[in-house]
Amino acid sequence: MKHVLPRIVFWLLFCLLTRVAAQQFSPAKNYSVGTKPVAVVVGDFNRDSRMDLAVANSKSNNVSILLGNGDGTFRPAVNYALHHPPAFVCVGDFNGDHKSDLAFADLSGTAVAVLLGKGDGSFRPPVQYDVGIVARYLIAADFNHDKKLDLLAYNEGKLSILLGNGDGTFQPPVIILFSANSPHVAVADFNGDGFPDVIGGELTGVVHEGYSGNLIAVAWKSIELFGDVLVDRIFPERFLDV
């Protein structure tokens, strides 16, 4: 109990400070993008050390790139066409050229689209890769520890791993059954072995299953979840919390 109390106090202070900080935001400013935006990621797409936005638009089948001015405002959106409506977007350097690339989950089929960045805020045409499942979520990470970014596509009950070749292309998918009926999964190194792990949770229940970096099922301690899975170092220790 003596170890639990400090954590409770820390968590209450964290929630209080977060609420106070939330009340200090300036009024929202709207920016025009495509039709029916469903996901957004942040990255430096033109390498000017200012954060930019990439917005996936499911109705207009495109991605809107809003380059940041560095003062919290953004330039007008530039749209890039996709072959299919996107469900999700993630960012990573898939070809090792130190330029941010984008990957999109396909809302209507079993593919992901990869747009390689040119480093000036523009992107090459999309290239499709089959993932074997109707993906609703994408995560970029180095799952086989070869210093090349891979893609994890997820839908409720299935994981699809596309190992990256390091040149912006990907190997055929490896599909793994995942019993967690969660809308999202999270990736982090939970056991400190240097490999990314995957964890998911039931919509109405608990985290009950994960995959270690070598894609072997392991048991996780059950904790209450309601919807999304969040990972962070909430408490001052060297282990990740969920």
Side-chain angles (χ1 to χ4, degrees):
M1 184 65 185
K2 65 179 181 179
H3 298 294
V4 175
L5 186 58
R7 290 191 170 202
I8 295 176
V9 173
F10 179 87
W11 179 247
L12 290 175
L13 287 173
F14 175 81
C15 293
L16 178 61
L17 291 174
T18 301
R19 178 170 296 183
V20 171
Q23 295 173 352
Q24 297 177 350
F25 281 108
S26 60
K29 180 177 175 57
N30 296 326
Y31 294 88
S32 296
V33 293
T35 308
K36 196 176 181 181
V38 292
V40 60
V41 291
V42 176
D44 182 8
F45 302 124
N46 59 349
R47 298 190 295 178
D48 63 354
S49 300
R50 301 171 180 174
M51 290 294 99
D52 312 312
L53 298 176
V55 183
N57 308 302
S58 64
K59 190 73 173 179
S60 51
N61 292 5
N62 60 10
V63 53
S64 298
I65 303 298
L66 293 82
L67 297 180
N69 295 316
D71 59 359
T73 64
F74 296 88
R75 304 177 201 174
V78 176
N79 297 326
Y80 295 86
L82 299 172
H83 297 308
H84 301 285
F88 198 81
V89 57
C90 71
V91 63
D93 180 11
F94 302 122
N95 57 352
D97 63 354
H98 306 290
K99 302 171 185 176
S100 295
D101 311 311
L102 296 171
F104 296 85
D106 184 353
L107 185 63
S108 61
T110 60
V112 296
V114 176
L115 282 72
L116 297 179
K118 297 181 180 180
D120 58 0
S122 64
F123 292 84
R124 300 178 191 176
V127 178
Q128 300 268 113
Y129 295 92
D130 181 61
V131 294
I133 63 173
V134 180
R136 292 291 180 265
Y137 197 62
L138 276 180
I139 298 176
D142 182 9
F143 291 102
N144 59 346
H145 219 250
D146 64 353
K147 298 183 180 180
K148 302 171 184 177
L149 272 186
D150 313 309
L151 283 174
L152 180 148
Y154 174 72
N155 199 344
E156 295 175 9
K158 291 182 179 179
L159 298 172
S160 179
I161 307 292
L162 285 78
L163 295 179
N165 296 316
D167 58 359
T169 65
F170 295 86
Q171 299 177 28
V174 176
I175 298 176
I176 303 169
L177 294 180
F178 194 65
S179 61
N181 188 29
S182 171
H184 300 295
V185 293
V187 171
D189 182 11
F190 292 102
N191 57 357
D193 63 356
F195 293 90
D197 310 312
V198 184
I199 193 168
E202 295 286 353
L203 265 173
T204 58
V206 298
V207 171
H208 66 96
E209 184 180 35
Y211 281 86
S212 65
N214 57 4
L215 303 181
I216 302 298
V218 295
W220 298 99
K221 182 180 180 181
S222 295
I223 61 173
E224 292 296 329
L225 282 183
F226 302 94
D228 295 350
V229 181
L230 301 177
V231 178
D232 202 354
R233 285 186 173 86
I234 297 175
F235 299 110
E237 57 190 23
R238 70 182 194 90
F239 301 110
L240 284 173
D241 307 304
V242 180

